[in-house]
Amino acid sequence: MASFRIRHYQDQDYEAVRALFARGILEHAPAGFRHILRAARVRLALLAVFVAARAAAGSWVLGLGTVALALVLLWVLVRSVSTEYVRDALGTDLCDVAGSYLRAPDRCFWVAEEGGTVVGMVAAVPAGRGELELKRMSVSREHRGHGLARALCREVLAFARARGYGTVVLSTSMVQVAAQRLYEGQGFRKVGSSYPSLLGTLLNFQIFHY
């Protein structure tokens, strides 16, 4: 970790932070797609599509082609969950990082840099009821596995303790298994789950709350 430096966000980090966040979220789309395909109701729906298409066209090839098209459409739907989340974040708090996180009490935004390049980020905001929320955690793929995410997490926990918060909360998607292990290793425990949207409900894509 000696080669990394964690510091407060600066205006020159703007584009790097937005790009890091978008890449970090979108790279989980394939895992989400695989999760959806493992669902029994999705497999049954694909089988029904195949049977109906084969019966209508009288051809195995057209039946398989219809299933392939259905898979493509399903992939587009799954990815749209991620892209919509990214679009919302980039249009709200990550549109004005300094205004959202550095100009009000009990808010902060940190970046981790190596050799002058931003390779990690995390934020903290009050969540009400004496809780602080850990948000926007992301570490570039090339710099994972070296303790950087743990260091960013500890930065938020220390920030919370220094300001008298008794609880830190966060949310992560069901397919972000590495993130779940990280948070649980830092003492967080899962307290619930929810669906991010109607589409998320239809695809059985959940958000876990810690």
Side-chain angles (χ1 to χ4, degrees):
M1 286 298 298
S3 62
F4 298 107
R5 181 168 74 102
I6 297 177
R7 59 170 174 78
H8 288 174
Y9 170 89
Q10 298 172 3
D11 288 340
Q12 62 264 30
D13 303 322
Y14 182 75
E15 293 299 338
V17 159
R18 286 165 60 88
L20 177 64
F21 173 78
R23 287 196 305 269
I25 295 299
L26 294 177
E27 72 180 28
H28 294 293
F33 184 60
R34 292 192 295 271
H35 166 77
I36 299 304
L37 292 181
R38 287 194 291 267
R41 62 183 176 184
V42 171
R43 294 185 178 186
L44 287 173
L46 291 173
L47 177 60
V49 167
F50 170 76
V51 171
R54 182 179 179 276
S59 168
W60 284 84
V61 174
L62 287 177
L64 291 173
T66 303
V67 170
L69 177 60
L71 288 171
V72 170
L73 292 175
L74 183 59
W75 162 251
V76 171
L77 286 174
V78 170
R79 186 170 170 84
S80 73
V81 173
S82 296
T83 55
E84 181 59 32
Y85 180 71
V86 169
R87 186 180 301 111
D88 178 69
L90 296 183
T92 53
D93 59 300
L94 294 184
C95 183
D96 181 10
V97 180
S100 298
Y101 295 104
L102 300 180
R103 296 174 188 160
D106 294 348
R107 293 171 176 254
C108 197
F109 196 106
W110 299 265
V111 300
E113 65 175 5
E114 180 186 33
T117 300
V118 173
V119 297
M121 55 186 270
V122 72
V125 295
R129 305 186 306 279
E131 298 175 343
L132 189 74
E133 183 179 5
L134 183 156
K135 295 186 65 174
R136 306 311 187 208
M137 169 77 84
S138 187
V139 173
S140 68
R141 181 191 295 270
E142 299 80 10
H143 295 84
R144 293 172 193 165
H146 302 290
L148 179 54
R150 288 193 299 274
L152 288 166
C153 188
R154 287 195 294 267
E155 198 77 33
V156 175
L157 295 177
F159 182 83
R161 285 193 295 269
R163 283 154 181 77
Y165 285 93
T167 304
V168 176
V169 298
L170 61 91
S171 300
T172 190
S173 75
M174 64 190 305
V175 299
Q176 292 175 267
V177 178
Q180 295 165 32
R181 291 172 180 164
L182 164 70
Y183 298 134
E184 290 167 5
Q186 295 298 306
F188 287 90
R189 59 184 179 85
K190 189 166 71 172
V191 295
S193 63
S194 63
Y195 294 99
S197 63
L198 176 59
L199 180 58
T201 302
L202 294 173
L203 297 176
N204 193 32
F205 186 88
Q206 293 179 297
I207 300 297
F208 291 162
H209 304 292
Y210 285 85

